[in-house]
Amino acid sequence: MRTEYKIFAAVAVFLFGAAAVYGLYTFNTGNASGTADGYEGGTEWVGVVALILSGLLCSMCAGFFWFVARRIDLRPEDREDGEIAEGAGEVGFFSPGSYWPFGIALAAAVAGIGLVFWMWWLLAFGLVCVILTSCGLLFEYYSGTRHPEAHL
């Protein structure tokens, strides 16, 4: 986890620096005399805010990985003397396949169409479907044919 938080922290520092440079660059390159379209110059705030929010998101991920890295033992990939064979063995459980992510995407698309066309009933229906399909994905292995105890 140490490697991960260092990578996210480095990307966050880069994004904050890029936001500062972008803000200064757009402020200094404006046309002070004005043009036919009325642009007088000044900082372009959409890009600056997007870079700052991206930096905050990377900072949040870096903070999470740093928090977790303090509480677990070093993994082989975090140590200088770590061997590849130390990471062998069972990694974890991975789902063989599920249709629930497709349902979530379809429900989110319905909600997005409702938002785009300003149809509140379609937006509400899509959001309810997103919640239901997310619950289906979450509880997939606790009910039905994929129940863990059913295969023992």
Side-chain angles (χ1 to χ4, degrees), residues 94-149:
F94 298 96
S95 178
S98 175
Y99 293 110
W100 287 110
F102 177 73
I104 294 172
L106 188 63
V110 169
I113 289 172
L115 187 63
V116 166
F117 291 111
W118 215 244
M119 296 181 189
W120 292 107
W121 63 271
L122 189 59
L123 175 63
F125 176 72
L127 291 176
V128 167
C129 288
V130 166
I131 292 170
L132 292 175
T133 53
S134 297
C135 290
L137 179 67
L138 181 65
F139 296 115
E140 180 175 18
Y141 289 97
Y142 296 104
S143 63
T145 59
R146 293 191 180 205
H147 197 273
E149 282 83 25

Side-chain angles (χ1 to χ4, degrees), residues 55-118:
L56 289 172
L57 181 63
C58 286
S59 299
M60 183 179 70
C61 293
F64 171 76
F65 284 128
W66 174 74
F67 186 74
V68 170
R70 291 183 349 182
R71 285 167 170 66
I72 64 172
D73 294 331
L74 286 176
R75 300 174 303 167
E77 55 265 24
D78 291 331
R79 295 192 331 251
E80 292 291 330
D81 62 340
E83 296 290 330
I84 294 174
E86 292 180 59
E90 185 176 330
V91 177
F93 174 75
F94 298 96
S95 178
S98 175
Y99 293 110
W100 287 110
F102 177 73
I104 294 172
L106 188 63
V110 169
I113 289 172
L115 187 63
V116 166
F117 291 111
W118 215 244

